[in-house]
Amino acid sequence: MKIYNKYIAAIAVSLVLASCKAPMATVIQDDVKNNIPENFKQDEQPDVNNNSGTTPWRQFFTDPNLVSLIETSLKNNQELMITLQEIEIAKSGVVAKKGKLSPTVRAGLGAGLKKAGRYTSEGAGDASTDIEPGKEMPDPLGNFEGGLMANWEIDIWKKLRNEKDAAVAHYLSTVEGKNFVLSNLIEEVADNYYELLALDNQMDIIQQYIKLQTRALEIAKIQKQAAAATELAVKKFEAELAKSKATEYTIRQEITEKENQINALCGRYPQPIVRTKESFMSTIPQTVYTGIPSQLLANRPDIKQAELELKSAKLDVEAARKEFYPSLEISATLGLEAFKPSYLVKLPESIAYNLVGELAGPLINKSAIKANFQTADAKQIQALYEYDKTILNAYLDISNLMSKVKNIDQYYQLKSQETQALDQSIDIANQLFKNSRADYLEVLLNQRDALDAKMELIEAKQKQLSTVVDIYKGLGGGWK
């Protein structure tokens, strides 16, 4: 008998050891993070201690109307509210995973009735048992119980702690996700605000142009009466005037849509957007300091979010890997049990308890565990690629925007010169037309060129301001 017990024990140990074999997770290396360039441009030495991404948005934006819109959007924006609820969901996930580390204790009451066959070992035993002198065991036999039940999985492999740490990392990533939403929201409000001011200024330009064309049409009609011009000139000026009036209504519609877009970001129904359009063209863009690329890792919330998701994925792989190991569970009960309710109060006879420890591991048919591990391993690799992509895109965004800031400044200066020259040519053309020294085509072409140049100049100013906002957001600004 002792030999059999030894064999049984050896087999049990062998089975437990066999269940401990677990595959290894894929070893991943973060080459993109490790090889991030020292500067955004090799021929420049940026100020390491000066980075506009750390500037609070209230200091970066100086227009009081824009500041008011941003404040409203931060209070009412629905996308931001949805993100806040995602944080609460992730926080509850942390509490749930943390709870698995502690014993589960339940209280319960139970009642039952059982009739065993007379010609069974249980039935024969009950029939021959006397509870008290002269009192046989009742048939059928009742069972009444009440007490505490506890169950606890001992975290011997740190599997549960890995699951909790993964949930914590995911929770922290949702917080960074909220910060990224904040940064994007502020950028959207500012960009749309500047686009609205640009449309206001374009509306002023088209209305001035309509007045100019109206006067030119009147001159053409007078010259026709004096036989100094033809009906063709009059019709050309009429067509140009009609085209400009049509453009005015197009801009009006764009202003309405842009106002509603801002109201949507502010989480409110349509209402007028308070703004001052007169100072738009004279607004000087903020000076932006980029710092060094490695500071993006600490400043940009989307990069920090991706990094935390990568950490969570790695911990999930470890937890999935440890599913191959045996688990140790302890179960215990303590309470009162009797076949009649009146006997429950008879102590210590009615006291019942149970204590069981179980060490068990998967042995056959591990396909589900293997599939979960492979899924977690693939998600870990996927999270690394997502993290690398976020870092690379952030660097490229800043590099592109830095170039755009310089080029748009040069573009704006040249457009200003073009506009001034065309304004002067309009006056010259009008004087020549009045004196019959230039035909109507020269006047029309000059007016069209001047209108296009002024419209493009306004667009250039809007791009100047929006590009600065974009690079501020790209550096991680806006959420602090």
Side-chain angles (χ1 to χ4, degrees), residues 141 147 239 285 351 394 409 480:
L141 184 66
I351 294 177
D409 285 344
K480 294 185 179 179

Side-chain angles (χ1 to χ4, degrees), residues 97 100-101 153 155 158-164:
K97 295 296 183 182
K100 288 186 176 182
L101 291 168
E153 181 180 353
D155 193 23
K158 295 185 178 180
K159 179 189 72 174
L160 300 179
R161 273 170 283 184
N162 284 338
E163 291 179 351
K164 184 206 72 173

Side-chain angles (χ1 to χ4, degrees), residues 335-377:
L336 304 175
E337 186 176 17
F339 61 84
K340 288 179 64 176
S342 59
Y343 288 163
L344 288 174
V345 295
K346 290 189 175 183
L347 301 177
E349 290 84 354
S350 63
I351 294 177
Y353 58 85
N354 182 37
L355 180 64
V356 177
E358 182 181 55
L359 181 66
L363 185 61
I364 301 175
N365 192 9
K366 301 180 182 179
S367 58
I369 299 176
K370 290 179 180 178
N372 288 336
F373 171 78
Q374 290 169 355
T375 300
D377 194 42

Side-chain angles (χ1 to χ4, degrees), residues 178-464:
K178 181 263 298 182
N179 293 335
F180 189 57
V181 171
L182 283 174
S183 187
N184 280 336
L185 178 60
I186 291 172
E187 179 199 30
E188 283 190 72
V189 172
D191 283 345
N192 281 282
Y193 179 76
Y194 291 137
E195 289 175 14
L196 180 59
L197 292 180
L199 289 171
D200 287 339
N201 281 264
Q202 287 181 340
M203 176 64 76
D204 290 342
I205 293 297
I206 199 68
Q207 288 174 345
Q208 294 172 14
Y209 187 53
I210 288 172
K211 292 178 181 179
L212 180 65
Q213 288 177 320
T214 303
R215 289 196 298 269
L217 176 60
E218 292 172 353
I219 294 172
K221 288 180 178 179
I222 293 172
Q223 289 192 340
K224 179 195 170 187
Q225 293 175 355
T230 64
E231 180 68 15
L232 181 59
V234 174
K235 293 302 180 182
K236 284 290 187 179
F237 279 116
E238 286 180 349
E240 192 71 13
L241 180 60
K243 179 182 177 182
S244 298
K245 288 182 177 179
T247 303
E248 178 185 3
Y249 285 103
T250 300
I251 295 176
R252 287 186 186 277
Q253 179 61 25
E254 290 177 354
I255 289 175
T256 299
E257 293 177 0
K258 190 59 63 177
E259 284 185 320
N260 288 338
Q261 192 170 351
I262 294 174
N263 283 317
L265 292 172
C266 293
R268 65 191 186 188
Y269 287 104
Q271 57 182 273
I273 302 297
V274 179
R275 59 203 187 262
T276 304
K277 62 182 180 180
E278 290 77 16
S279 61
F280 175 71
M281 295 303 294
S282 60
T283 302
I284 300 175
Q286 287 267 26
T287 302
V288 178
Y289 302 96
T290 60
I292 56 176
S294 61
Q295 292 173 337
L296 292 174
L297 303 178
N299 291 341
R300 279 189 59 135
D302 58 332
I303 293 179
K304 292 193 285 185
Q305 180 184 20
E307 183 180 17
L308 287 166
E309 286 295 344
L310 175 59
K311 179 180 178 181
S312 177
K314 289 180 178 179
L315 290 168
D316 282 337
V317 172
E318 284 300 310
R321 183 173 179 270
K322 288 166 184 175
E323 289 289 347
F324 290 93
Y325 297 165
S327 60
L328 175 60
E329 292 190 7
I330 297 177
S331 301
T333 58
L334 175 63
L336 304 175
E337 186 176 17
F339 61 84
K340 288 179 64 176
S342 59
Y343 288 163
L344 288 174
V345 295
K346 290 189 175 183
L347 301 177
E349 290 84 354
S350 63
I351 294 177
Y353 58 85
N354 182 37
L355 180 64
V356 177
E358 182 181 55
L359 181 66
L363 185 61
I364 301 175
N365 192 9
K366 301 180 182 179
S367 58
I369 299 176
K370 290 179 180 178
N372 288 336
F373 171 78
Q374 290 169 355
T375 300
D377 194 42
K379 286 184 177 180
Q380 172 196 216
I381 299 172
Q382 186 182 49
L384 173 65
Y385 292 148
E386 188 68 33
Y387 179 52
D388 289 346
K389 183 184 76 172
T390 306
I391 294 175
L392 184 60
N393 287 342
Y395 178 88
L396 294 175
D397 284 345
I398 299 302
S399 181
N400 290 336
L401 289 169
M402 287 173 62
S403 176
K404 187 176 180 180
V405 166
K406 291 184 178 180
N407 291 329
I408 199 69
D409 285 344
Q410 295 297 321
Y411 177 82
Y412 181 80
Q413 296 300 326
L414 293 172
K415 276 296 174 183
S416 297
Q417 296 175 19
E418 179 186 3
T419 302
Q420 293 173 4
L422 288 172
D423 281 341
Q424 294 172 2
S425 69
I426 287 178
D427 294 336
I428 296 172
N430 287 335
Q431 290 297 326
L432 293 173
F433 184 65
K434 287 180 182 179
N435 298 322
S436 300
R437 295 177 61 187
D439 61 20
Y440 67 92
L441 288 176
E442 291 178 294
V443 176
L444 283 175
L445 289 174
N446 274 280
Q447 289 178 351
R448 287 179 184 176
D449 290 343
L451 176 64
D452 291 341
K454 288 182 179 179
M455 290 294 195
E456 291 170 356
L457 181 64
I458 292 171
E459 291 178 358
K461 173 57 69 174
Q462 179 263 318
K463 289 179 180 178
Q464 257 192 336

Side-chain angles (χ1 to χ4, degrees), residues 59-109:
Q59 297 178 17
F60 188 81
F61 298 104
T62 57
D63 188 330
N65 295 323
L66 175 56
V67 170
S68 177
L69 288 173
I70 293 175
E71 288 176 342
T72 304
S73 68
L74 294 180
K75 293 177 183 177
N76 302 330
N77 183 263
Q78 284 80 11
E79 184 178 354
L80 180 58
M81 298 301 109
I82 293 172
T83 304
L84 292 177
Q85 295 310 308
E86 290 177 356
I87 293 176
E88 293 301 318
I89 294 171
K91 186 187 295 184
S92 299
V94 174
V95 175
K97 295 296 183 182
K98 186 177 180 180
K100 288 186 176 182
L101 291 168
S102 302
T104 300
V105 180
R106 298 177 294 128
L109 297 173

